[in-house]
């Protein structure tokens, strides 16, 4: 493959109407219904062309590419994200494989002291992040404190509860126990909604707490201006909403905090051990990076031999979003509008409601819509009791028309729904049991239209009815139901 690199990456000049016309730019199977972009993302054909180009370059001259060419391409991708998405200096961003790795890099990289406390929101924290926090507690002797918030609530209540929790821990610690770090989301995963992360960052600054923002669903989804918000640490996946191939994430650490992170994850050739009179020189087989780069940036350039071609694709993804989709603002507005209207219509189909607070800030500018399924759990004692009283209780909870699920069957519902939509309807819809109800998380995206979400709601309504008609037997595998059987 000879010639200029830019000539080998597909050029784009034509803007395509958002919605179904844009689907042809992606690689979906003809019958597949992509309603769950938020979990793993995807990327369009021109970005795949770029990916394959970089992979071919690597294989045509492996040493040349990995030792020399790759660093230049990586710097270009870092600069593109820093300037166009995060709005921070390029020397403050590096790439990691995913948001979980970014959080681990920070939590494992910090030097913890006796009495340090990590606080986080128990209801919304991503499972892998919570487990990372608990692991740090095991190996470093720190303490984890859960902040309990019963969403949906107003943003000011979230901030109030957070500040009170931090203040309480510090007061009770009497100088021997203090909150060192707070972990919270931009948009939480399941259910998926916006968190007032900007205000929480401000609270952290006022309280003297380091902020670790899990922005897994941030880049390409909502507007970010870290240069103004100034969190202490921030990580965001680029493979979810920015159309970059998996797995690619950006880790932001401002210059003044970079000395706090001693090592990359894993530790590799860029690590600089503390000076020691007994330490012999350690050979680095890679060519040196320019001295203008910080230690933090250099130690994230090479983390072992893996296929890093996806890291090089950020400019191609941004080019597609600009030239074909109409730019970041157009994309974000369209996706949020589809999610909002699709969620409203889905709630009508299901006879339920969308998860939001009174001010609407949980869904504002967000491409997620969480809609409650018409199912409610009933205990054995309720089933054995008066049916009229049971219906009265359901009415008081706004669930009088919901389909009853026996308490012993409740743990099976989410898995049955998830597997059945895959095997019978060639789609996936993420469902979660949250605060006594099941919710489905719909995603707005540039290749979808509102009617796609309505179709998904109709599918789920039919499955809920099948659960009710067969009294949960389908959940336990006692009865094998076809789509026709459920009608």
């Amino acid at each position: 493959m000879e010639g200029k690199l830019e000539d080998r990456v597909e050029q784009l000049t034509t803007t395509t109407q958002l919605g179904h016309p844009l689907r042809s730019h992606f690689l979906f199977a003809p019958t597949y219904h992509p309603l769950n972009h938020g979990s793993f993302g995807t990327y369009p054909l021109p970005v795949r062309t770029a990916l394959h180009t970089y992979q071919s370059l690597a294989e045509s001259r492996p040493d040349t590419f990995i030792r020399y060419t790759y660093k230049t391409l990586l710097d270009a991708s870092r600069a593109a994200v820093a300037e166009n998405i995060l709005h921070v200096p390029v020397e403050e961003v590096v790439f990691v494989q995913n948001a979980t790795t970014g959080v681990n890099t920070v939590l494992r990289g910090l030097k913890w002291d006796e009495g340090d406390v990590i606080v986080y929101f128990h209801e919304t924290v991503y499972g892998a992040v919570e487990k990372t926090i608990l692991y740090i507690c095991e190996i470093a002797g720190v303490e984890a404190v859960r902040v309990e918030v019963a969403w949906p609530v107003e943003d000011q209540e979230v901030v109030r509860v957070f500040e009170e929790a931090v203040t309480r821990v510090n007061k009770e610690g009497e100088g021997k126990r203090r909150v060192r770090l707070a972990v919270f989301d931009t948009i939480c995963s399941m259910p998926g909604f916006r968190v007032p992360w900007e205000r929480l960052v401000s609270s952290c600054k006022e309280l003297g707490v380091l902020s670790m923002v899990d922005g897994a669903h941030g880049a390409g989804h909502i507007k970010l201006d870290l240069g103004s918000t100034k969190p202490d640490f921030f990580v965001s996946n680029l493979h979810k909403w920015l159309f970059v191939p998996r797995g690619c994430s950006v880790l932001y650490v401002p210059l003044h905090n970079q000395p706090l992170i001693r090592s990359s994850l894993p530790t590799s050739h860029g690590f600089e051990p503390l000076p020691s009179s007994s330490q012999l020189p350690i050979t680095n087989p890679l060519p040196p990076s320019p001295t203008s780069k910080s230690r933090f940036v250099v130690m994230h350039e090479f983390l072992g031999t893996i296929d890093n071609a996806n890291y090089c694709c950020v400019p191609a993804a941004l080019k597609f979003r600009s030239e074909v989709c109409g730019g970041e603002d157009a994309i974000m507005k369209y996706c949020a509008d589809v999610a909002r209207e699709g969620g409203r219509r889905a709630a009508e189909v299901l006879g339920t409601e969308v998860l939001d607070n009174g001010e609407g800030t949980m869904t504002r500018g967000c491409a997620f819509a969480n809609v409650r399924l018409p199912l409610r759990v009933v205990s054995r004692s309720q089933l054995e009791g008066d049916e009229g009283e049971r219906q009265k209780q359901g009415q008081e909870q706004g669930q009088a028309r919901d389909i009853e699920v026996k308490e012993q069957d409740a743990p099976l519902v989410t898995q049955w729904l998830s597997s059945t939509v895959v095997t019978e309807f060639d789609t996936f819809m993420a469902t979660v049991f949250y605060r006594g109800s099941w919710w489905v998380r719909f995603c707005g995206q540039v290749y979808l239209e509102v009617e796609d979400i309505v179709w998904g709601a109709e599918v789920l309504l039919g499955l809920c009815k099948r659960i009710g008609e067969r009294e949960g037997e389908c959940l336990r595998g006692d009865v094998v139901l076809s789509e026709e059987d459920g009608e």
Side-chain angles (χ1 to χ4, degrees):
M1 297 180 64
E2 301 298 335
K4 293 182 178 180
L5 177 63
E6 56 268 22
D7 293 337
R8 294 183 228 127
V9 178
E10 185 173 336
Q11 301 298 302
L12 302 164
T13 56
T14 305
T15 301
T16 302
Q17 179 183 343
L18 300 183
H20 290 165
L22 204 63
R23 179 178 168 125
S24 63
H25 288 279
F26 292 83
L27 293 95
F28 300 119
T31 60
Y32 186 68
H33 301 271
L35 299 178
N36 184 43
H37 185 98
S39 284
F40 305 114
T42 190
Y43 51 92
L45 287 163
V47 176
R48 184 181 68 167
T49 299
L51 176 67
H52 288 178
T53 296
Y54 298 128
Q55 290 172 330
S56 296
L57 282 172
E59 299 316 309
S60 64
R61 294 182 176 87
D63 279 278
T64 304
F65 183 87
I66 294 172
R67 295 176 187 273
Y68 298 98
T69 308
Y70 169 67
K71 285 186 180 181
T72 301
L73 296 170
L74 176 63
D75 287 345
S77 285
R78 289 174 47 243
V81 169
E83 178 180 351
N84 297 290
I85 303 300
L86 303 184
H87 304 101
V88 294
V90 66
E91 59 266 24
E92 297 185 331
V93 302
V94 295
F95 282 3
V96 293
Q97 286 194 313
N98 49 58
T100 302
T101 301
V103 172
N104 271 263
T105 299
V106 173
L107 268 62
R108 294 170 187 250
L110 290 171
K111 182 180 181 299
W112 299 98
D113 297 320
E114 183 179 356
D116 284 348
V117 176
I118 303 172
V119 299
Y120 65 97
F121 290 96
H122 175 60
E123 296 250 342
T124 57
V125 67
Y126 187 59
V129 172
E130 182 171 25
K131 288 184 176 181
T132 301
I133 293 171
L134 298 179
Y135 176 69
I136 296 300
C137 292
E138 289 183 10
I139 65 172
V142 303
E143 180 186 353
V145 172
R146 301 180 179 92
V147 180
E148 303 290 348
V149 174
W151 273 280
V153 296
E154 308 307 323
D155 288 355
Q156 62 183 17
E157 177 65 6
V158 176
V159 175
R160 183 191 67 80
V161 172
F162 172 78
E163 291 179 346
E164 286 186 355
V166 173
T167 301
R168 182 175 62 255
V169 170
N170 290 343
K171 183 178 181 180
E172 294 174 353
E174 297 180 340
K176 298 180 180 179
R177 176 172 172 262
R178 65 188 180 92
V179 175
R180 175 89 179 283
L181 180 78
V183 181
F184 46 86
D185 301 278
T186 53
I187 297 173
C188 54
S189 177
M190 289 295 292
F193 54 80
R194 284 195 68 147
V195 174
W197 66 278
E198 300 96 333
R199 293 175 62 179
L200 291 172
V201 169
S202 296
S203 296
C204 285
K205 293 182 184 300
E206 294 173 2
L207 295 166
V209 174
L210 292 173
S211 55
M212 170 72 251
V213 182
D214 180 0
H217 292 279
H221 190 161
I222 57 175
K223 291 183 178 181
L224 301 171
D225 187 355
L226 303 190
S228 297
T229 312
K230 299 185 184 304
D232 290 296
F233 309 100
F234 184 99
V235 64
S236 182
N237 291 317
L238 305 183
H239 58 253
K240 284 185 181 289
W241 298 90
L242 206 67
F243 302 157
V244 176
R246 294 176 289 269
C248 179
S249 300
V250 60
L251 173 62
Y252 161 80
V253 181
L255 289 173
H256 64 271
N257 281 339
Q258 289 180 8
L260 298 176
I261 308 301
R262 285 285 298 134
S263 173
S264 59
L265 186 67
T267 302
S268 192
H269 294 295
F271 175 71
E272 296 180 0
L274 295 173
S276 170
S277 58
S278 61
Q279 178 65 57
L280 297 175
I282 302 174
T283 301
N284 184 348
L286 301 171
S289 296
T291 56
S292 59
K293 292 183 179 180
S294 70
R295 179 190 64 84
F296 178 76
V297 170
V298 170
M299 72 181 182
H300 282 89
E301 286 183 325
F302 185 86
L303 301 182
T305 305
I306 57 175
D307 182 0
N308 283 331
N310 50 345
Y311 288 8
C312 305
C313 294
V314 173
L318 293 179
K319 184 178 180 65
F320 176 84
R321 293 169 69 86
S322 175
E323 295 187 0
V324 176
C325 302
E328 296 300 316
D329 289 346
I331 292 171
M332 292 177 188
K333 183 179 185 306
Y334 181 84
C335 294
D337 287 349
V338 168
R340 183 176 61 254
E341 179 61 16
R344 185 189 69 80
R345 294 275 303 281
E348 289 180 350
V349 169
L350 294 167
T352 60
E353 69 278 348
V354 175
L355 183 68
D356 205 352
N357 57 19
E359 297 178 353
T361 56
M362 291 169 59
T363 59
R364 187 173 300 159
C366 179
F368 282 146
N370 306 278
V371 183
R372 188 174 64 81
L373 299 183
L375 301 170
R376 65 185 177 99
V377 179
V378 291
S379 64
R380 184 182 300 274
S381 61
Q382 287 176 312
L383 286 171
E384 294 173 350
D386 181 75
E387 182 175 354
E389 182 62 27
R390 192 166 76 243
Q391 291 298 325
K392 180 181 178 182
Q393 291 176 354
Q395 188 171 8
E396 291 174 350
Q397 298 170 359
Q399 301 177 348
R401 298 172 59 186
D402 288 355
I403 295 160
E404 294 182 343
V405 176
K406 295 177 182 178
E407 190 173 30
Q408 65 267 30
D409 292 336
L412 306 175
V413 170
T414 300
Q415 289 303 318
W416 184 80
L417 290 173
S418 297
S419 62
T420 304
V421 296
V422 168
T423 57
E424 296 188 18
F425 298 96
D426 200 12
T427 188
F428 187 85
M429 290 175 275
T431 55
V432 63
F433 188 72
Y434 177 71
R435 291 202 160 267
S437 298
W438 282 273
W439 300 83
V440 56
R441 185 194 71 184
F442 289 113
C443 304
Q445 195 43 259
V446 293
Y447 48 72
L448 293 176
E449 297 181 2
V450 170
E451 292 305 318
D452 295 309
I453 293 178
V454 173
W455 174 85
E458 291 171 345
V459 167
L460 289 171
L461 179 61
L463 294 179
C464 290
K465 289 180 178 179
R466 284 163 63 179
I467 293 173
E469 289 167 0
R470 300 301 179 97
E471 296 183 340
E473 291 176 333
C474 54
L475 303 174
R476 299 186 296 275
D478 296 339
V479 179
V480 178
L481 297 177
S482 67
E483 183 180 353
E484 289 75 20
D485 290 333
E487 294 180 348

Short mmCIF file of all heavy atoms in Angstrom, two decimals, residues 448-469:
data_model
loop_
_atom_site.label_atom_id
_atom_site.label_comp_id
_atom_site.label_asym_id
_atom_site.label_seq_id
_atom_site.Cartn_x
_atom_site.Cartn_y
_atom_site.Cartn_z
N LEU A 448 -31.56 5.87 13.71
CA LEU A 448 -32.87 5.47 14.20
C LEU A 448 -33.90 6.58 14.00
O LEU A 448 -33.56 7.75 13.84
CB LEU A 448 -32.80 5.12 15.68
CG LEU A 448 -32.01 3.88 16.09
CD1 LEU A 448 -31.96 3.76 17.61
CD2 LEU A 448 -32.59 2.62 15.46
N GLU A 449 -35.17 6.18 14.06
CA GLU A 449 -36.28 7.12 14.09
C GLU A 449 -37.21 6.72 15.23
O GLU A 449 -37.10 5.62 15.79
CB GLU A 449 -37.01 7.13 12.74
CG GLU A 449 -36.12 7.62 11.61
CD GLU A 449 -36.81 7.67 10.25
OE1 GLU A 449 -38.03 7.35 10.18
OE2 GLU A 449 -36.14 8.01 9.25
N VAL A 450 -38.13 7.60 15.57
CA VAL A 450 -39.02 7.37 16.71
C VAL A 450 -39.77 6.05 16.59
O VAL A 450 -39.95 5.32 17.56
CB VAL A 450 -39.99 8.55 16.87
CG1 VAL A 450 -41.07 8.23 17.89
CG2 VAL A 450 -39.24 9.82 17.28
N GLU A 451 -40.20 5.72 15.37
CA GLU A 451 -40.99 4.51 15.18
C GLU A 451 -40.20 3.24 15.53
O GLU A 451 -40.80 2.21 15.84
CB GLU A 451 -41.49 4.43 13.74
CG GLU A 451 -42.53 5.48 13.40
CD GLU A 451 -43.73 5.45 14.35
OE1 GLU A 451 -44.18 4.33 14.69
OE2 GLU A 451 -44.19 6.54 14.76
N ASP A 452 -38.88 3.30 15.48
CA ASP A 452 -38.09 2.14 15.89
C ASP A 452 -38.28 1.87 17.38
O ASP A 452 -38.38 0.71 17.80
CB ASP A 452 -36.60 2.40 15.60
CG ASP A 452 -36.31 2.51 14.12
OD1 ASP A 452 -36.73 1.63 13.36
OD2 ASP A 452 -35.67 3.50 13.72
N ILE A 453 -38.30 2.93 18.17
CA ILE A 453 -38.51 2.77 19.61
C ILE A 453 -39.93 2.31 19.90
O ILE A 453 -40.16 1.47 20.78
CB ILE A 453 -38.17 4.08 20.33
CG1 ILE A 453 -36.67 4.37 20.21
CG2 ILE A 453 -38.60 4.03 21.80
CD1 ILE A 453 -36.22 5.66 20.85
N VAL A 454 -40.89 2.83 19.15
CA VAL A 454 -42.28 2.39 19.31
C VAL A 454 -42.38 0.89 19.03
O VAL A 454 -43.05 0.15 19.76
CB VAL A 454 -43.21 3.18 18.38
CG1 VAL A 454 -44.62 2.61 18.41
CG2 VAL A 454 -43.22 4.66 18.77
N TRP A 455 -41.70 0.43 17.97
CA TRP A 455 -41.69 -1.00 17.66
C TRP A 455 -41.13 -1.80 18.85
O TRP A 455 -41.68 -2.84 19.23
CB TRP A 455 -40.85 -1.26 16.42
CG TRP A 455 -40.66 -2.71 16.10
CD1 TRP A 455 -41.49 -3.52 15.39
CD2 TRP A 455 -39.54 -3.54 16.52
NE1 TRP A 455 -40.97 -4.80 15.33
CE2 TRP A 455 -39.79 -4.84 16.01
CE3 TRP A 455 -38.39 -3.29 17.25
CZ2 TRP A 455 -38.90 -5.90 16.23
CZ3 TRP A 455 -37.50 -4.35 17.47
CH2 TRP A 455 -37.76 -5.63 16.97
N GLY A 456 -40.04 -1.31 19.42
CA GLY A 456 -39.46 -1.99 20.57
C GLY A 456 -40.43 -2.07 21.74
O GLY A 456 -40.51 -3.11 22.42
N ALA A 457 -41.17 -1.00 21.98
CA ALA A 457 -42.15 -1.00 23.06
C ALA A 457 -43.26 -2.01 22.80
O ALA A 457 -43.72 -2.70 23.72
CB ALA A 457 -42.72 0.41 23.23
N GLU A 458 -43.68 -2.12 21.57
CA GLU A 458 -44.73 -3.09 21.22
C GLU A 458 -44.25 -4.52 21.43
O GLU A 458 -45.01 -5.38 21.90
CB GLU A 458 -45.18 -2.87 19.78
CG GLU A 458 -45.93 -1.55 19.58
CD GLU A 458 -46.17 -1.21 18.12
OE1 GLU A 458 -45.51 -1.85 17.25
OE2 GLU A 458 -47.01 -0.33 17.83
N VAL A 459 -42.99 -4.77 21.08
CA VAL A 459 -42.41 -6.09 21.34
C VAL A 459 -42.42 -6.40 22.83
O VAL A 459 -42.84 -7.49 23.26
CB VAL A 459 -40.97 -6.16 20.78
CG1 VAL A 459 -40.25 -7.40 21.32
CG2 VAL A 459 -40.99 -6.18 19.26
N LEU A 460 -41.99 -5.46 23.64
CA LEU A 460 -41.92 -5.68 25.08
C LEU A 460 -43.31 -5.83 25.69
O LEU A 460 -43.49 -6.63 26.62
CB LEU A 460 -41.17 -4.52 25.74
CG LEU A 460 -39.67 -4.50 25.48
CD1 LEU A 460 -39.06 -3.20 25.99
CD2 LEU A 460 -38.97 -5.69 26.12
N LEU A 461 -44.27 -5.09 25.18
CA LEU A 461 -45.64 -5.24 25.68
C LEU A 461 -46.14 -6.67 25.44
O LEU A 461 -46.74 -7.29 26.32
CB LEU A 461 -46.56 -4.23 25.01
CG LEU A 461 -48.04 -4.29 25.43
CD1 LEU A 461 -48.19 -4.01 26.92
CD2 LEU A 461 -48.88 -3.31 24.61
N GLY A 462 -45.85 -7.18 24.25
CA GLY A 462 -46.25 -8.56 23.96
C GLY A 462 -45.57 -9.56 24.88
O GLY A 462 -46.20 -10.52 25.34
N LEU A 463 -44.31 -9.35 25.18
CA LEU A 463 -43.59 -10.26 26.07
C LEU A 463 -44.11 -10.18 27.50
O LEU A 463 -44.21 -11.19 28.20
CB LEU A 463 -42.09 -9.95 26.03
CG LEU A 463 -41.39 -10.22 24.69
CD1 LEU A 463 -39.91 -9.86 24.79
CD2 LEU A 463 -41.56 -11.67 24.26
N CYS A 464 -44.45 -8.97 27.93
CA CYS A 464 -45.04 -8.82 29.28
C CYS A 464 -46.36 -9.56 29.37
O CYS A 464 -46.66 -10.21 30.39
CB CYS A 464 -45.22 -7.34 29.60
SG CYS A 464 -43.68 -6.43 29.88
N LYS A 465 -47.15 -9.48 28.32
CA LYS A 465 -48.43 -10.19 28.30
C LYS A 465 -48.20 -11.70 28.35
O LYS A 465 -48.96 -12.44 29.01
CB LYS A 465 -49.23 -9.81 27.07
CG LYS A 465 -49.78 -8.39 27.11
CD LYS A 465 -50.56 -8.08 25.84
CE LYS A 465 -51.16 -6.67 25.90
NZ LYS A 465 -51.91 -6.33 24.65
N ARG A 466 -47.18 -12.19 27.68
CA ARG A 466 -46.88 -13.62 27.71
C ARG A 466 -46.52 -14.07 29.12
O ARG A 466 -46.88 -15.16 29.56
CB ARG A 466 -45.75 -13.94 26.73
CG ARG A 466 -46.21 -13.95 25.29
CD ARG A 466 -45.06 -13.86 24.31
NE ARG A 466 -44.14 -14.98 24.37
CZ ARG A 466 -43.08 -15.11 23.58
NH1 ARG A 466 -42.82 -14.15 22.68
NH2 ARG A 466 -42.28 -16.15 23.68
N ILE A 467 -45.81 -13.22 29.84
CA ILE A 467 -45.47 -13.55 31.23
C ILE A 467 -46.75 -13.68 32.04
O ILE A 467 -46.90 -14.61 32.85
CB ILE A 467 -44.55 -12.47 31.83
CG1 ILE A 467 -43.18 -12.49 31.15
CG2 ILE A 467 -44.40 -12.66 33.34
CD1 ILE A 467 -42.26 -11.35 31.56
N GLY A 468 -47.69 -12.75 31.83
CA GLY A 468 -48.94 -12.79 32.59
C GLY A 468 -49.84 -13.93 32.20
O GLY A 468 -50.41 -14.61 33.07
N GLU A 469 -49.94 -14.20 30.91
CA GLU A 469 -50.86 -15.24 30.44
C GLU A 469 -50.41 -16.63 30.89
O GLU A 469 -51.23 -17.50 31.15
CB GLU A 469 -50.95 -15.18 28.92
CG GLU A 469 -51.70 -13.96 28.41
CD GLU A 469 -51.51 -13.75 26.91
OE1 GLU A 469 -50.78 -14.57 26.30
OE2 GLU A 469 -52.08 -12.79 26.37
#
